[in-house]
Short mmCIF file of all heavy atoms in Angstrom, two decimals:
data_model
loop_
_atom_site.label_atom_id
_atom_site.label_comp_id
_atom_site.label_asym_id
_atom_site.label_seq_id
_atom_site.Cartn_x
_atom_site.Cartn_y
_atom_site.Cartn_z
N ALA A 9 -6.37 5.84 4.62
CA ALA A 9 -7.06 4.82 5.41
C ALA A 9 -7.06 5.18 6.88
O ALA A 9 -8.07 5.02 7.59
CB ALA A 9 -6.39 3.46 5.20
N VAL A 10 -5.92 5.69 7.37
CA VAL A 10 -5.83 6.08 8.78
C VAL A 10 -6.78 7.22 9.07
O VAL A 10 -7.49 7.24 10.08
CB VAL A 10 -4.38 6.46 9.15
CG1 VAL A 10 -4.32 7.07 10.54
CG2 VAL A 10 -3.48 5.24 9.07
N LEU A 11 -6.83 8.22 8.17
CA LEU A 11 -7.72 9.36 8.36
C LEU A 11 -9.18 8.93 8.35
O LEU A 11 -9.98 9.40 9.16
CB LEU A 11 -7.48 10.39 7.26
CG LEU A 11 -6.18 11.22 7.37
CD1 LEU A 11 -6.00 12.07 6.12
CD2 LEU A 11 -6.19 12.07 8.63
N ALA A 12 -9.51 8.00 7.45
CA ALA A 12 -10.90 7.53 7.39
C ALA A 12 -11.29 6.82 8.67
O ALA A 12 -12.39 7.00 9.20
CB ALA A 12 -11.07 6.59 6.19
N THR A 13 -10.38 6.00 9.21
CA THR A 13 -10.65 5.29 10.46
C THR A 13 -10.84 6.28 11.60
O THR A 13 -11.73 6.14 12.44
CB THR A 13 -9.49 4.33 10.79
OG1 THR A 13 -9.36 3.40 9.72
CG2 THR A 13 -9.77 3.57 12.09
N SER A 14 -9.99 7.31 11.63
CA SER A 14 -10.09 8.32 12.69
C SER A 14 -11.40 9.06 12.61
O SER A 14 -12.03 9.37 13.63
CB SER A 14 -8.92 9.30 12.58
OG SER A 14 -7.68 8.64 12.73
N MET A 15 -11.83 9.37 11.37
CA MET A 15 -13.09 10.09 11.21
C MET A 15 -14.27 9.25 11.67
O MET A 15 -15.18 9.75 12.33
CB MET A 15 -13.27 10.48 9.74
CG MET A 15 -12.32 11.59 9.27
SD MET A 15 -12.47 11.90 7.50
CE MET A 15 -14.14 12.53 7.43
N LEU A 16 -14.24 7.95 11.38
CA LEU A 16 -15.32 7.08 11.82
C LEU A 16 -15.37 7.01 13.34
O LEU A 16 -16.43 7.05 13.96
CB LEU A 16 -15.14 5.67 11.24
CG LEU A 16 -15.50 5.51 9.76
CD1 LEU A 16 -15.08 4.12 9.27
CD2 LEU A 16 -16.99 5.73 9.54
N ALA A 17 -14.18 6.92 13.95
CA ALA A 17 -14.14 6.86 15.42
C ALA A 17 -14.66 8.15 16.01
O ALA A 17 -15.41 8.15 17.00
CB ALA A 17 -12.70 6.60 15.89
N GLY A 18 -14.29 9.28 15.40
CA GLY A 18 -14.74 10.56 15.92
C GLY A 18 -16.23 10.75 15.77
O GLY A 18 -16.86 11.46 16.55
N CYS A 19 -16.82 10.12 14.75
CA CYS A 19 -18.25 10.26 14.54
C CYS A 19 -19.06 9.28 15.37
O CYS A 19 -20.29 9.22 15.27
CB CYS A 19 -18.57 10.04 13.05
SG CYS A 19 -17.92 11.35 11.98
N GLY A 20 -18.36 8.45 16.15
CA GLY A 20 -19.07 7.52 17.02
C GLY A 20 -19.49 6.24 16.32
O GLY A 20 -20.53 5.68 16.65
N ALA A 21 -18.70 5.77 15.35
CA ALA A 21 -19.03 4.52 14.66
C ALA A 21 -18.95 3.37 15.65
O ALA A 21 -18.07 3.32 16.51
CB ALA A 21 -18.06 4.29 13.51
N VAL A 22 -19.88 2.43 15.55
CA VAL A 22 -19.88 1.27 16.43
C VAL A 22 -18.70 0.38 16.10
O VAL A 22 -18.49 0.03 14.94
CB VAL A 22 -21.20 0.49 16.29
CG1 VAL A 22 -21.16 -0.77 17.13
CG2 VAL A 22 -22.37 1.36 16.72
N THR A 23 -17.90 0.03 17.09
CA THR A 23 -16.70 -0.76 16.87
C THR A 23 -16.97 -2.25 17.01
O THR A 23 -18.01 -2.66 17.52
CB THR A 23 -15.62 -0.35 17.89
OG1 THR A 23 -16.13 -0.57 19.22
CG2 THR A 23 -15.26 1.12 17.74
N SER A 24 -15.99 -3.05 16.59
CA SER A 24 -16.17 -4.49 16.58
C SER A 24 -16.21 -5.09 17.98
O SER A 24 -16.64 -6.23 18.15
CB SER A 24 -15.04 -5.15 15.77
OG SER A 24 -13.78 -4.83 16.35
N ASN A 25 -15.75 -4.34 18.98
CA ASN A 25 -15.76 -4.86 20.34
C ASN A 25 -16.82 -4.20 21.21
O ASN A 25 -16.75 -4.23 22.43
CB ASN A 25 -14.37 -4.70 20.99
CG ASN A 25 -13.95 -3.23 21.08
OD1 ASN A 25 -14.58 -2.37 20.48
ND2 ASN A 25 -12.89 -2.97 21.83
N SER A 26 -17.80 -3.57 20.59
CA SER A 26 -18.87 -2.93 21.35
C SER A 26 -19.83 -3.98 21.89
O SER A 26 -19.92 -5.09 21.37
CB SER A 26 -19.62 -1.93 20.48
OG SER A 26 -20.17 -2.57 19.35
N ARG A 27 -20.56 -3.62 22.93
CA ARG A 27 -21.48 -4.59 23.54
C ARG A 27 -22.84 -3.95 23.80
O ARG A 27 -22.95 -2.75 24.03
CB ARG A 27 -20.91 -5.16 24.84
CG ARG A 27 -20.55 -4.13 25.89
CD ARG A 27 -20.14 -4.77 27.20
NE ARG A 27 -18.99 -5.63 27.09
CZ ARG A 27 -17.72 -5.22 27.17
NH1 ARG A 27 -17.46 -3.94 27.35
NH2 ARG A 27 -16.72 -6.06 27.09
N ALA A 28 -23.86 -4.79 23.77
CA ALA A 28 -25.22 -4.38 24.12
C ALA A 28 -25.67 -5.23 25.30
O ALA A 28 -25.63 -6.46 25.23
CB ALA A 28 -26.15 -4.57 22.92
N VAL A 29 -26.09 -4.57 26.37
CA VAL A 29 -26.51 -5.27 27.58
C VAL A 29 -27.97 -4.93 27.87
O VAL A 29 -28.32 -3.75 28.01
CB VAL A 29 -25.64 -4.87 28.80
CG1 VAL A 29 -26.09 -5.64 30.04
CG2 VAL A 29 -24.17 -5.13 28.51
N PHE A 30 -28.81 -5.95 27.94
CA PHE A 30 -30.23 -5.77 28.27
C PHE A 30 -30.49 -6.47 29.59
O PHE A 30 -30.39 -7.69 29.70
CB PHE A 30 -31.11 -6.38 27.18
CG PHE A 30 -32.54 -5.87 27.20
CD1 PHE A 30 -33.08 -5.26 26.08
CD2 PHE A 30 -33.34 -6.00 28.33
CE1 PHE A 30 -34.39 -4.79 26.08
CE2 PHE A 30 -34.63 -5.54 28.35
CZ PHE A 30 -35.17 -4.93 27.23
N MET A 31 -30.82 -5.70 30.63
CA MET A 31 -31.09 -6.26 31.95
C MET A 31 -32.59 -6.45 32.13
O MET A 31 -33.38 -5.53 31.91
CB MET A 31 -30.54 -5.36 33.05
CG MET A 31 -29.04 -5.31 33.10
SD MET A 31 -28.41 -4.48 34.60
CE MET A 31 -28.96 -5.61 35.89
N LEU A 32 -32.99 -7.64 32.54
CA LEU A 32 -34.38 -7.97 32.87
C LEU A 32 -34.47 -8.16 34.37
O LEU A 32 -33.77 -9.02 34.93
CB LEU A 32 -34.81 -9.25 32.15
CG LEU A 32 -34.89 -9.21 30.63
CD1 LEU A 32 -35.10 -10.62 30.07
CD2 LEU A 32 -36.00 -8.28 30.17
N VAL A 33 -35.34 -7.41 35.02
CA VAL A 33 -35.41 -7.44 36.48
C VAL A 33 -36.79 -7.90 36.93
O VAL A 33 -37.81 -7.37 36.52
CB VAL A 33 -35.09 -6.04 37.07
CG1 VAL A 33 -35.23 -6.06 38.58
CG2 VAL A 33 -33.69 -5.62 36.66
N ASP A 34 -36.79 -8.90 37.78
CA ASP A 34 -38.01 -9.49 38.33
C ASP A 34 -38.53 -8.57 39.44
O ASP A 34 -37.81 -8.24 40.39
CB ASP A 34 -37.65 -10.86 38.89
CG ASP A 34 -38.85 -11.67 39.34
OD1 ASP A 34 -39.94 -11.09 39.49
OD2 ASP A 34 -38.69 -12.88 39.55
N ALA A 35 -39.79 -8.15 39.32
CA ALA A 35 -40.39 -7.28 40.33
C ALA A 35 -41.64 -7.91 40.91
O ALA A 35 -42.55 -7.22 41.36
CB ALA A 35 -40.71 -5.92 39.74
N SER A 36 -41.69 -9.24 40.93
CA SER A 36 -42.91 -9.91 41.37
C SER A 36 -42.77 -10.48 42.77
O SER A 36 -41.68 -10.87 43.21
CB SER A 36 -43.26 -11.05 40.40
OG SER A 36 -42.27 -12.05 40.44
N GLY A 37 -43.88 -10.52 43.48
CA GLY A 37 -43.96 -11.21 44.77
C GLY A 37 -42.88 -10.83 45.74
O GLY A 37 -42.51 -9.66 45.90
N THR A 38 -42.33 -11.84 46.40
CA THR A 38 -41.30 -11.60 47.41
C THR A 38 -39.99 -11.15 46.79
O THR A 38 -39.16 -10.53 47.47
CB THR A 38 -41.05 -12.87 48.25
OG1 THR A 38 -40.66 -13.94 47.37
CG2 THR A 38 -42.31 -13.29 49.00
N TYR A 39 -39.78 -11.43 45.51
CA TYR A 39 -38.52 -11.03 44.89
C TYR A 39 -38.45 -9.51 44.67
O TYR A 39 -37.37 -8.97 44.44
CB TYR A 39 -38.31 -11.75 43.55
CG TYR A 39 -36.87 -11.70 43.08
CD1 TYR A 39 -35.94 -12.63 43.54
CD2 TYR A 39 -36.42 -10.71 42.22
CE1 TYR A 39 -34.61 -12.57 43.14
CE2 TYR A 39 -35.10 -10.64 41.82
CZ TYR A 39 -34.20 -11.58 42.29
OH TYR A 39 -32.87 -11.52 41.90
N ALA A 40 -39.58 -8.83 44.74
CA ALA A 40 -39.60 -7.39 44.52
C ALA A 40 -38.66 -6.65 45.47
O ALA A 40 -38.15 -5.58 45.14
CB ALA A 40 -41.02 -6.85 44.67
N LYS A 41 -38.39 -7.23 46.62
CA LYS A 41 -37.49 -6.58 47.58
C LYS A 41 -36.06 -6.51 47.05
O LYS A 41 -35.22 -5.76 47.58
CB LYS A 41 -37.52 -7.31 48.92
CG LYS A 41 -36.93 -8.70 48.92
CD LYS A 41 -37.00 -9.34 50.29
CE LYS A 41 -36.35 -10.72 50.32
NZ LYS A 41 -37.04 -11.69 49.47
N GLU A 42 -35.75 -7.29 46.01
CA GLU A 42 -34.42 -7.28 45.43
C GLU A 42 -34.24 -6.18 44.39
O GLU A 42 -33.13 -5.95 43.90
CB GLU A 42 -34.13 -8.65 44.77
CG GLU A 42 -34.25 -9.84 45.68
CD GLU A 42 -33.15 -9.89 46.74
OE1 GLU A 42 -32.07 -9.31 46.49
OE2 GLU A 42 -33.38 -10.50 47.80
N VAL A 43 -35.33 -5.50 44.01
CA VAL A 43 -35.26 -4.50 42.94
C VAL A 43 -34.27 -3.37 43.26
O VAL A 43 -33.47 -2.99 42.39
CB VAL A 43 -36.66 -3.95 42.62
CG1 VAL A 43 -36.57 -2.71 41.74
CG2 VAL A 43 -37.51 -5.02 41.94
N PRO A 44 -34.27 -2.78 44.45
CA PRO A 44 -33.29 -1.71 44.72
C PRO A 44 -31.85 -2.16 44.51
O PRO A 44 -31.03 -1.40 43.98
CB PRO A 44 -33.56 -1.35 46.19
CG PRO A 44 -35.00 -1.69 46.39
CD PRO A 44 -35.21 -2.94 45.59
N ASP A 45 -31.55 -3.39 44.90
CA ASP A 45 -30.21 -3.92 44.68
C ASP A 45 -29.94 -4.12 43.19
O ASP A 45 -28.83 -3.89 42.71
CB ASP A 45 -30.03 -5.24 45.44
CG ASP A 45 -28.58 -5.72 45.44
OD1 ASP A 45 -27.73 -5.01 46.01
OD2 ASP A 45 -28.31 -6.79 44.86
N ALA A 46 -30.97 -4.53 42.45
CA ALA A 46 -30.82 -4.70 41.00
C ALA A 46 -30.54 -3.37 40.33
O ALA A 46 -29.78 -3.31 39.35
CB ALA A 46 -32.09 -5.33 40.42
N VAL A 47 -31.13 -2.29 40.83
CA VAL A 47 -30.87 -0.96 40.29
C VAL A 47 -29.41 -0.58 40.50
O VAL A 47 -28.76 -0.02 39.61
CB VAL A 47 -31.81 0.09 40.93
CG1 VAL A 47 -31.34 1.51 40.62
CG2 VAL A 47 -33.24 -0.11 40.44
N VAL A 48 -28.88 -0.89 41.67
CA VAL A 48 -27.45 -0.64 41.94
C VAL A 48 -26.59 -1.41 40.94
O VAL A 48 -25.62 -0.86 40.38
CB VAL A 48 -27.09 -1.04 43.38
CG1 VAL A 48 -25.57 -0.95 43.60
CG2 VAL A 48 -27.80 -0.15 44.39
N THR A 49 -26.94 -2.67 40.70
CA THR A 49 -26.19 -3.47 39.74
C THR A 49 -26.26 -2.87 38.35
O THR A 49 -25.25 -2.79 37.64
CB THR A 49 -26.75 -4.91 39.70
OG1 THR A 49 -26.62 -5.50 40.99
CG2 THR A 49 -26.00 -5.76 38.69
N ALA A 50 -27.45 -2.42 37.94
CA ALA A 50 -27.62 -1.82 36.62
C ALA A 50 -26.77 -0.56 36.48
O ALA A 50 -26.19 -0.29 35.42
CB ALA A 50 -29.09 -1.50 36.37
N LYS A 51 -26.68 0.23 37.55
CA LYS A 51 -25.88 1.46 37.50
C LYS A 51 -24.39 1.12 37.39
O LYS A 51 -23.63 1.80 36.68
CB LYS A 51 -26.17 2.32 38.73
CG LYS A 51 -27.57 2.92 38.72
CD LYS A 51 -27.93 3.58 40.04
CE LYS A 51 -27.13 4.82 40.30
NZ LYS A 51 -27.59 5.51 41.55
N LEU A 52 -23.96 0.07 38.08
CA LEU A 52 -22.56 -0.35 37.99
C LEU A 52 -22.23 -0.83 36.58
O LEU A 52 -21.18 -0.51 36.03
CB LEU A 52 -22.27 -1.45 39.01
CG LEU A 52 -22.03 -1.01 40.45
CD1 LEU A 52 -21.95 -2.22 41.37
CD2 LEU A 52 -20.75 -0.19 40.55
N VAL A 53 -23.13 -1.63 36.01
CA VAL A 53 -22.92 -2.10 34.64
C VAL A 53 -22.83 -0.91 33.68
O VAL A 53 -21.93 -0.83 32.84
CB VAL A 53 -24.05 -3.06 34.21
CG1 VAL A 53 -23.97 -3.35 32.71
CG2 VAL A 53 -23.98 -4.36 35.00
N THR A 54 -23.77 0.03 33.82
CA THR A 54 -23.77 1.21 32.95
C THR A 54 -22.48 2.00 33.08
O THR A 54 -21.91 2.48 32.09
CB THR A 54 -24.97 2.11 33.29
OG1 THR A 54 -26.18 1.37 33.13
CG2 THR A 54 -25.00 3.34 32.39
N SER A 55 -21.98 2.13 34.30
CA SER A 55 -20.78 2.93 34.54
C SER A 55 -19.56 2.34 33.84
O SER A 55 -18.62 3.07 33.50
CB SER A 55 -20.50 3.05 36.05
OG SER A 55 -20.07 1.81 36.59
N LYS A 56 -19.57 1.03 33.61
CA LYS A 56 -18.43 0.36 33.00
C LYS A 56 -18.53 0.26 31.48
O LYS A 56 -17.57 -0.16 30.81
CB LYS A 56 -18.26 -1.04 33.60
CG LYS A 56 -17.80 -1.04 35.05
CD LYS A 56 -17.61 -2.45 35.58
CE LYS A 56 -16.99 -2.43 36.97
NZ LYS A 56 -15.58 -1.95 36.94
N LEU A 57 -19.67 0.62 30.92
CA LEU A 57 -19.84 0.56 29.48
C LEU A 57 -19.06 1.68 28.79
O LEU A 57 -18.78 2.71 29.40
CB LEU A 57 -21.32 0.65 29.11
CG LEU A 57 -22.18 -0.54 29.52
CD1 LEU A 57 -23.65 -0.27 29.21
CD2 LEU A 57 -21.73 -1.83 28.83
N ASN A 58 -18.73 1.48 27.53
CA ASN A 58 -17.97 2.44 26.76
C ASN A 58 -18.85 3.16 25.75
O ASN A 58 -20.01 2.79 25.53
CB ASN A 58 -16.82 1.73 26.03
CG ASN A 58 -15.84 1.08 26.97
OD1 ASN A 58 -15.45 1.68 27.98
ND2 ASN A 58 -15.42 -0.14 26.66
N SER A 59 -18.29 4.17 25.13
CA SER A 59 -18.98 4.86 24.05
C SER A 59 -19.43 3.85 22.99
O SER A 59 -18.69 2.89 22.69
CB SER A 59 -18.06 5.89 23.40
OG SER A 59 -17.73 6.91 24.31
N ASN A 60 -20.63 4.05 22.46
CA ASN A 60 -21.23 3.19 21.43
C ASN A 60 -21.79 1.88 21.97
O ASN A 60 -22.36 1.10 21.20
CB ASN A 60 -20.25 2.91 20.29
CG ASN A 60 -19.75 4.16 19.62
OD1 ASN A 60 -20.55 5.03 19.27
ND2 ASN A 60 -18.44 4.29 19.48
N ASP A 61 -21.65 1.61 23.28
CA ASP A 61 -22.31 0.45 23.88
C ASP A 61 -23.78 0.78 24.13
O ASP A 61 -24.15 1.95 24.27
CB ASP A 61 -21.64 0.07 25.21
CG ASP A 61 -20.27 -0.56 25.03
OD1 ASP A 61 -19.94 -0.94 23.89
OD2 ASP A 61 -19.54 -0.66 26.03
N LEU A 62 -24.59 -0.26 24.21
CA LEU A 62 -26.02 -0.07 24.47
C LEU A 62 -26.37 -0.61 25.85
O LEU A 62 -25.89 -1.69 26.24
CB LEU A 62 -26.85 -0.79 23.41
CG LEU A 62 -28.38 -0.71 23.54
CD1 LEU A 62 -29.02 -0.67 22.13
CD2 LEU A 62 -28.96 -1.91 24.31
N ILE A 63 -27.21 0.10 26.57
CA ILE A 63 -27.75 -0.37 27.84
C ILE A 63 -29.28 -0.31 27.78
O ILE A 63 -29.85 0.70 27.34
CB ILE A 63 -27.22 0.44 29.05
CG1 ILE A 63 -27.81 -0.09 30.37
CG2 ILE A 63 -27.48 1.92 28.88
CD1 ILE A 63 -27.37 -1.47 30.74
N ALA A 64 -29.92 -1.39 28.19
CA ALA A 64 -31.38 -1.43 28.28
C ALA A 64 -31.75 -2.09 29.60
O ALA A 64 -31.02 -2.93 30.12
CB ALA A 64 -31.98 -2.19 27.10
N PHE A 65 -32.90 -1.68 30.12
CA PHE A 65 -33.35 -2.17 31.43
C PHE A 65 -34.87 -2.33 31.35
O PHE A 65 -35.58 -1.38 31.01
CB PHE A 65 -32.97 -1.16 32.51
CG PHE A 65 -33.32 -1.56 33.92
CD1 PHE A 65 -32.38 -2.15 34.74
CD2 PHE A 65 -34.59 -1.32 34.43
CE1 PHE A 65 -32.69 -2.49 36.05
CE2 PHE A 65 -34.91 -1.65 35.73
CZ PHE A 65 -33.96 -2.25 36.55
N GLY A 66 -35.34 -3.54 31.60
CA GLY A 66 -36.77 -3.80 31.54
C GLY A 66 -37.24 -4.63 32.72
O GLY A 66 -36.46 -5.34 33.35
#
Side-chain angles (χ1 to χ4, degrees):
V10 171
L11 286 173
T13 300
S14 299
M15 289 175 66
L16 284 172
C19 293
V22 175
T23 59
S24 60
N25 61 348
S26 59
R27 57 174 60 86
V29 181
F30 198 122
M31 292 191 65
L32 294 170
V33 177
D34 188 345
S36 65
T38 58
Y39 197 84
K41 68 180 183 296
E42 303 292 334
V43 168
D45 189 63
V47 167
V48 172
T49 299
K51 291 170 68 175
L52 280 172
V53 170
T54 302
S55 71
K56 291 181 173 292
L57 292 175
N58 298 316
S59 295
N60 302 311
D61 288 346
L62 179 146
I63 180 66
F65 183 96

